[in-house]
Amino acid sequence: MTTDGTLLARARDRQRTHPLAFDAGLAFLVLVAMVISSFTDPHGPDGPTFGTRAPTTEGVVLMLLGATALVLRRRRPIPVLIVTAGFALIELVGDARPAPVTMSAVVALYTVASRTDRPTTWRLGLATMGVLTAAAMFFGPTPWYAQENLGVFAWTGMAAAAGDAVRSRRAFVDAIRERAERAERTREEEARRRVAEERLRIARDLHDVVAHHIALVNVQAGVAAHVMDKRPDQAKEALGHVRAASRSALDELRATVGLLRQSGDPEAPTEPVAGLAVLDDLLATFRNAGLPVELARTDGGTALPAAVDLAAYRIVQEALTNVRKHAGADARAEVSVVRVGRTVEITVLDDGPPMPPPAEDTEDADGGGHGLLGMRERVTALGGSLTAAPRYGGGFRVQAILPVNADDIGEGEEA
């Protein structure tokens, strides 16, 4: 079975690469079959006999012309059918002992059926069957009901049906192949989309972690440098905060980058994932950096979906980092976490000077930092809303409303 399948596959490849040579070989085989049949008498005394009759010169010429026309059967299927059917009709009407020129018309009709559409096959097939069968019945040497006449009808009909079946199967295979290719392209596009979303998520996490901790390190290092000579104890305490902030930054970076490890890489760290459960620790780092922060929570510590929990934590972290960077040394901040129905509201207020943050941290900046923009992307991905604007009388207000049920989150929980 394997050898036969291999030979068949090779024959198909040769047919595709050399169609004209294949059609020439087929035309030669049809010519040989017609010549052999023309020497056969189906009405011999003891049944069909070979060599008891011979074709006429006109019959040989028509057989040769009909076979030659088949060389172009795929390039010009309909003209070839008309020509071969005409040769067969001439032979059936004009010869008392007609040669089997109809074989070439049968092959041409099969080609038309396999390479055109069904309506064309029906029209040309019925016309060819009707004309050739009528010519055989009314002009042939045998009675109209003879088997030879019915054979013309049967062979032309089977040729049209076989060609139509081949065309349908080819169209079905092409449709299956196209569907498979389209599905493959869709999978590749979906994979690329997920990779892009994962890169964006990791970039946001890295920005939040680095911006927060580097800001704290910068503040504490400035304090230490300022009081190093006069108050070494306070400088030592500030350097301790620098060390704690840098260690925390390294731990969070390690946890984030650990998501990119392959199965054979060292085991990822097992530190708790950032979320509202460790919000107090986050606020403590800001208090140690000199930013008074008050917290009000009415959510009762209710567990949130992982994506919402992480987004809420990052929003508080980024908002307080902006307060520390832009609101001034005497600014104070308030953080509130409120559960309202199927949403959780995260609000960060400060009492800094009455001006918006620098353009580099706003969404509308042309140069574009990534602070508020990153927060807005997180909230939008979860189906929530974010408001960030100066407060009347001074300070700034950031409020995020996040859905907490799976139906509202949709695919955002995977982002």
Side-chain angles (χ1 to χ4, degrees):
M1 293 297 291
T2 304
T3 303
D4 294 341
T6 304
L7 294 176
L8 182 59
R10 290 179 180 175
R12 289 175 179 172
D13 293 338
R14 290 176 182 175
Q15 178 182 351
R16 295 190 186 98
T17 54
H18 305 287
L20 192 62
F22 179 85
D23 290 339
L26 177 63
F28 177 76
L29 293 178
V30 172
L31 176 62
V32 171
M34 288 191 294
V35 171
I36 293 176
S37 298
S38 65
F39 283 94
T40 303
D41 183 7
H43 301 289
D46 297 324
T49 56
F50 180 78
T52 57
R53 72 169 187 169
T56 62
T57 303
E58 181 184 358
V60 173
V61 172
L62 290 175
M63 286 188 291
L64 183 61
L65 292 175
T68 303
L70 293 179
V71 177
L72 301 176
R73 68 186 186 94
R74 272 192 271 195
R75 294 186 177 182
R76 299 288 187 271
I78 295 179
V80 168
L81 173 61
I82 295 174
V83 169
T84 54
F87 292 155
L89 183 61
I90 294 173
E91 179 67 6
L92 289 173
V93 173
D95 199 336
R97 292 179 300 170
V101 185
T102 308
M103 286 187 182
S104 60
V106 169
V107 175
L109 180 57
Y110 166 84
T111 305
V112 169
S114 64
R115 304 188 72 83
T116 61
D117 52 29
R118 182 162 294 172
T120 302
T121 300
W122 273 95
R123 289 194 298 267
L124 296 180
L126 289 176
T128 303
M129 292 167 57
V131 171
L132 295 184
T133 303
M137 286 182 175
F138 292 107
F139 298 99
T142 59
W144 66 270
Y145 53 82
Q147 293 182 354
E148 290 86 345
N149 302 332
L150 297 178
V152 173
F153 179 84
W155 279 106
T156 51
M158 286 190 296
D164 185 71
V166 169
R167 180 193 57 77
S168 299
R169 181 181 180 278
R170 187 183 298 125
F172 176 75
V173 172
D174 292 341
I176 293 296
R177 184 182 297 110
E178 181 182 359
R179 191 179 299 115
E181 292 174 354
R182 186 166 56 250
E184 184 65 24
R185 289 194 301 270
T186 303
R187 282 195 296 269
E188 293 176 357
E189 292 173 358
E190 178 67 15
R192 286 194 294 268
R193 185 185 67 82
R194 290 184 177 273
V195 168
E197 290 179 352
E198 185 65 13
R199 286 176 176 172
L200 179 60
R201 185 191 67 80
I202 293 174
R204 284 198 300 257
D205 285 344
L206 289 176
H207 169 268
D208 293 343
V209 170
V210 172
H212 163 62
H213 290 289
I214 295 302
L216 296 183
V217 168
N218 180 60
V219 170
Q220 295 294 348
V223 172
H226 182 69
V227 300
M228 179 68 71
D229 296 331
K230 298 180 180 179
R231 304 176 64 182
D233 294 339
Q234 187 174 354
K236 183 178 180 180
E237 181 181 357
L239 291 176
H241 291 315
V242 169
R243 181 180 180 185
S246 61
R247 183 186 301 113
S248 178
L250 289 175
D251 291 341
E252 291 201 40
L253 287 174
R254 189 180 300 113
T256 302
V257 176
L259 298 175
L260 304 178
R261 289 192 173 120
Q262 303 296 326
S263 58
D265 292 338
E267 184 178 358
T270 58
E271 288 84 359
V273 178
L276 295 182
V278 293
L279 182 60
D280 292 335
D281 296 336
L282 174 65
L283 300 185
T285 62
F286 284 100
R287 296 187 183 106
N288 292 334
L291 175 64
V293 182
E294 297 182 4
L295 173 64
R297 296 187 64 171
T298 62
D299 62 332
T302 306
L304 300 175
V308 176
D309 197 25
L310 176 60
Y313 179 90
R314 294 303 187 197
I315 289 169
V316 173
Q317 183 184 55
E318 182 62 33
L320 292 179
T321 300
N322 287 339
V323 172
R324 194 68 188 88
K325 290 166 61 177
H326 307 302
D330 298 329
R332 303 175 62 87
E334 299 178 5
V335 177
S336 65
V337 181
V338 181
R339 180 70 178 269
V340 181
R342 295 184 177 183
T343 63
V344 59
E345 296 183 4
I346 310 298
T347 306
V348 179
L349 307 174
D350 69 79
D351 58 358
M355 61 176 61
E360 64 176 3
D361 276 337
T362 62
E363 183 183 16
D364 299 329
D366 295 334
H370 301 284
L372 293 179
L373 179 60
M375 286 191 284
R376 195 175 302 278
E377 288 176 348
R378 285 183 182 276
V379 174
T380 302
L382 295 173
S385 62
L386 177 74
T387 303
R391 299 173 61 193
Y392 180 76
F396 204 78
R397 176 176 179 269
V398 175
Q399 183 181 44
I401 302 178
L402 304 173
V404 297
N405 62 310
D407 293 338
D408 292 335
I409 293 174
E411 295 182 356
E413 190 168 338
E414 300 175 3

